[in-house]
Amino acid sequence: MIRFENVTKVYDPNARPALDAVNLEIDRGEFTFLVGASGSGKSTFLRLILKEDRATSGSVYVAGQNVANISSWRVPKLRRGIGVVFQDFRLLPQKNVFANVAFAMQVIGKSRSIIRETVPEVLKTVGLEGKERRMPHELSGGEQQRVAIARAVVNRPGILLADEPTGNLDPITSMGIMGVLDKINQNGTTVVMATHDDDIVNEMRKRVVELRNGVVVRDEARALYTSMIPVVGESRRMKDASDAEIDRAQGVQQ
Amino acid sequence: MRLAFILGEIGSGLRRNLSMVISVVLVTFVSLTFVGAAGMLQMQINQMKGYWYDKVQVAIFLCNDSSTATGCASGAVTKEQQDNLAKMLDSPAVKQYISDYQFESQADAFKHFKEQFSNSPIVDSVTQDQLPSSFRINMKDPQKYQIISETFSSQAGVETVSDQRQVLERIFEWMNGASVAAMVVAGVMIFCAVLLITTTIRLSAFSRRRETGIMRLVGASKTVIQLPFILEGVIAAVVGAVLASGTLWLVAQFWLNGDLSQQFLNTPFISSTQVLVIAPILIALGGGLAGISSLLTLRRYLKV
């Protein structure tokens, strides 16, 4: 469903690349965690899938299509096949729950009757039935994120990208959100979730891809947040270097 | 659905940015009023040219007793001199340029003078022999005035050859200058309008960046994202253009064809219907400028 072939992304030619020769394949219907420290390249990974950025070298394939070959007027079509959820929800504050979700359908020209039919269905899936008329500020953080998820999946995309969707939520609420994402994944949607939340990763036991300084250092099925297998060889050397860097940074903070 | 959605977006954009939208309306209104005024002046010039050029004549004024010109050293024009001039006017060399001519005697001249200045006390102080007799010539082509002037001004008994066109030409030049000045002011104002539209659209795009960001993510097409902004600018400019057209129509209807036409009975003014020809041009100009400047602004400030 998503394939990275030797993808490098350089923002600043003088600094290290944000992604460095990444090779990765995510299959249809898979649930993948993308873990790693801030600046490890998780967000860049997601942006490349959305064609928000171009890869400096290498190819990104989404649904079998090389995104570099998608002309700019067909990019909207690509994005209709991908739902996105953010840490900060990004709801429209003047619109109620129903209107926020309906907005995603209106702007791609869905008819009123289809919207009236689909939106309540999706709100039910994310556990918000009966709250259609609430305004975003009347909802808890967890509920707001559910609205955002509903909006992301209302057009039935094949892929759902979640960029730290539980970053602003407490652990219990986060688990509720994970339940929603899992349900969406069960319905056949490929989910890629970037996260720092070790509890969630450990609980879910899904595929974990760990990025460090733009390099994939771990790719395990049914894994934990931290590695279960000893780090050796090249990966070991890089892990040590990065640990040293983290130590240094913490030393500076203290 | 999509149309209703876009219209709704336009409505909310216009409401949110109301003060800026009003300023765009006013600036386009003023600038297009100047453009239209320049256009009206040109129409007025053409109208007057068409009306007067058929009526203007070249006049060969003959010497009278009080003439001081060098050609009149021998006193008032004699009968032979006058016949000689008439013969010259009938000769093929000159005849090819003129369509016809009349002789205006001193008595005729005095009569016309009295008619023209009937309300003025000057009539009482002018006598018949003070006025010159003249040949009044209607030219086939008014531009060929020079030939008549060269042929006749050195003849004996001729005081001067005058082209009435030249008097009119000066008026037209003045009007032309006024219309150029109006165009210059209009140009400056249009520049202001374009800058203002650009700023307004930028603000509008900024204040709705949440919406547009989400639209982008869920895969709305470029048209759906950008069209509301562009139409916002175009609508404001078109409202300004309509106001400008209305103002010009009022000016033509109540000032030109009201007050002024009563004061200047002999002047043909453009009608208010003729002004309506300018209206579509102004609307197209306003809408076009707004559309183009919005589009260019969005290309820079609204990522799609």
Side-chain angles (χ1 to χ4, degrees):
Chain A
M1 197 67 179
I2 300 169
R3 192 161 87 242
F4 276 53
E5 279 179 6
N6 218 15
V7 173
T8 299
K9 174 66 192 175
V10 178
Y11 288 110
D12 174 3
N14 298 320
R16 66 166 180 78
L19 283 182
D20 196 351
V22 169
N23 281 295
L24 193 69
E25 175 141 20
I26 296 170
D27 289 330
R28 188 179 296 275
E30 232 181 329
F31 195 120
T32 307
F33 284 113
L34 211 55
V35 303
S38 298
S40 58
K42 303 190 299 289
S43 297
T44 302
F45 186 91
L46 298 182
R47 288 174 66 83
L48 288 177
I49 296 172
L50 284 166
K51 208 180 181 212
E52 292 252 29
D53 276 326
R54 300 170 74 93
T56 312
S57 66
S59 315
V60 177
Y61 292 88
V62 175
Q65 221 177 355
N66 187 343
V67 296
N69 296 337
I70 298 178
S71 60
S72 69
W73 60 273
R74 272 176 43 223
V75 167
K77 200 153 176 263
L78 166 78
R79 293 190 182 143
R80 281 178 205 189
I82 306 172
V84 194
V85 180
F86 298 95
Q87 182 174 5
D88 56 358
F89 320 138
R90 301 199 187 170
L91 300 178
L92 300 175
Q94 313 89 338
K95 291 188 192 286
N96 67 26
V97 169
F98 183 93
N100 260 286
V101 178
F103 186 74
M105 301 186 82
Q106 285 170 340
V107 299
I108 61 169
K110 289 282 165 64
S111 76
R112 204 180 291 251
S113 60
I114 290 180
I115 291 174
R116 259 202 297 264
E117 194 180 308
T118 317
V119 173
E121 246 171 61
V122 175
L123 285 176
K124 198 172 161 208
T125 312
V126 300
L128 284 176
E129 61 260 75
K131 299 200 168 158
E132 285 91 343
R133 304 281 153 238
R134 298 282 197 87
M135 298 304 282
H137 68 266
E138 297 168 348
L139 299 175
S140 71
E143 286 169 327
Q144 288 187 43
Q145 191 61 292
R146 283 166 194 257
V147 178
I149 293 171
R151 183 179 64 195
V153 299
V154 73
N155 291 322
R156 311 209 181 287
I159 299 170
L160 179 64
L161 305 179
D163 195 355
E164 305 198 20
T166 59
N168 281 349
L169 305 174
D170 64 68
I172 294 169
T173 313
S174 298
M175 283 321 296
I177 295 294
M178 290 319 295
V180 173
L181 291 180
D182 198 30
K183 194 151 102 190
I184 288 163
N185 177 238
Q186 306 279 312
N187 291 339
T189 305
T190 310
V191 179
V192 180
M193 173 169 159
T195 186
H196 286 304
D197 198 329
D198 47 355
D199 285 345
I200 283 175
V201 178
N202 294 340
E203 184 78 25
M204 297 286 290
R205 284 304 191 106
K206 300 283 189 185
R207 180 181 177 187
V208 173
V209 173
E210 184 174 353
L211 285 167
R212 189 170 295 173
N213 295 337
V215 178
V216 176
V217 293
R218 179 160 68 105
D219 185 355
E220 280 181 89
R222 305 181 58 78
L224 297 174
Y225 186 79
T226 45
S227 177
M228 291 179 297
I229 47 172
V231 182
V232 291
E234 174 65 1
S235 301
R236 174 86 223 182
R237 195 187 59 71
M238 291 182 61
K239 182 179 188 302
D240 288 346
S242 128
D243 285 347
E245 201 176 306
I246 290 166
D247 287 344
R248 217 172 30 251
Q250 283 168 345
V252 169
Q253 273 177 356
Q254 285 155 11
Chain B
M1 188 64 221
R2 208 181 297 211
L3 182 72
F5 174 76
I6 289 176
L7 289 178
E9 286 289 298
I10 295 170
S12 79
L14 291 175
R15 265 199 308 281
R16 269 199 229 178
N17 256 338
L18 195 61
S19 61
M20 289 298 278
V21 169
I22 289 174
S23 59
V24 169
V25 169
L26 291 179
V27 172
T28 43
F29 164 45
V30 174
S31 56
L32 292 178
T33 304
F34 274 99
V35 173
M40 275 170 70
L41 265 170
Q42 286 300 335
M43 284 167 86
Q44 181 65 42
I45 290 171
N46 284 335
Q47 180 110 342
M48 285 169 80
K49 272 187 183 164
Y51 181 80
W52 286 112
Y53 277 3
D54 285 346
K55 296 184 170 53
V56 296
Q57 296 167 320
V58 173
I60 301 172
F61 288 106
L62 306 181
C63 300
N64 63 8
D65 294 331
S66 53
S67 295
T68 51
T70 45
C72 298
S74 54
V77 65
T78 61
K79 186 81 181 102
E80 296 102 274
Q81 284 170 340
Q82 193 181 311
D83 289 345
N84 186 31
L85 290 170
K87 220 174 285 167
M88 279 176 73
L89 283 169
D90 287 328
S91 74
V94 174
K95 206 166 171 121
Q96 56 175 317
Y97 298 114
I98 63 181
S99 52
D100 59 53
Y101 69 92
Q102 301 91 35
F103 179 71
E104 188 184 82
S105 67
Q106 283 185 307
D108 294 335
F110 188 58
K111 207 170 72 196
H112 287 152
F113 184 82
K114 278 202 295 193
E115 276 168 15
Q116 217 169 348
F117 294 93
S118 54
N119 296 327
S120 166
I122 197 171
V123 174
D124 302 330
S125 60
V126 170
T127 62
Q128 188 170 319
D129 10 300
Q130 282 174 317
L131 295 172
S133 54
S134 58
F135 285 103
R136 299 283 169 155
I137 301 162
N138 289 317
M139 302 292 293
K140 273 188 187 147
D141 175 7
Q143 313 285 350
K144 297 276 162 54
Y145 152 74
Q146 208 60 36
I147 294 166
I148 304 296
S149 170
E150 272 162 24
T151 318
F152 287 96
S153 49
S154 57
Q155 293 297 319
V158 172
E159 183 179 13
T160 178
V161 179
S162 96
D163 181 10
Q164 294 176 327
R165 238 169 81 98
Q166 283 182 323
V167 180
L168 287 175
E169 213 94 279
R170 225 167 295 148
I171 296 172
F172 293 149
E173 254 166 49
W174 184 85
M175 286 171 78
N176 225 344
S179 92
V180 168
M183 272 322 273
V184 170
V185 174
V188 173
M189 293 299 293
I190 283 178
F191 184 64
C192 286
V194 166
L195 289 184
L196 197 63
I197 290 166
T198 310
T199 315
T200 306
I201 296 303
R202 232 166 88 187
L203 271 179
S204 190
F206 185 74
S207 72
R208 273 190 280 161
R209 62 194 183 286
R210 256 173 190 277
E211 280 91 334
T212 50
I214 290 161
M215 286 161 100
R216 235 156 55 76
L217 279 178
V218 300
S221 67
K222 203 169 164 176
T223 320
V224 172
I225 298 177
Q226 293 194 338
L227 202 60
F229 293 101
I230 295 172
L231 288 183
E232 229 174 85
V234 170
I235 286 173
V238 166
V239 170
V242 169
L243 285 178
S245 309
T247 307
L248 293 173
W249 184 82
L250 289 175
V251 164
Q253 177 78 358
F254 294 107
W255 191 58
L256 291 185
N257 294 307
D259 278 356
L260 275 191
S261 63
Q262 242 136 66
Q263 280 177 41
F264 302 93
L265 291 170
N266 290 328
T267 314
F269 287 106
I270 49 172
S271 68
S272 47
T273 337
Q274 274 174 291
V275 173
L276 294 182
V277 176
I278 299 181
I281 300 171
L282 293 185
I283 290 168
L285 183 68
L289 275 176
I292 291 168
S293 47
S294 314
L295 195 66
L296 293 179
T297 313
L298 289 177
R299 194 172 282 184
R300 262 192 78 183
Y301 293 99
L302 186 68
K303 216 175 106 191
V304 175

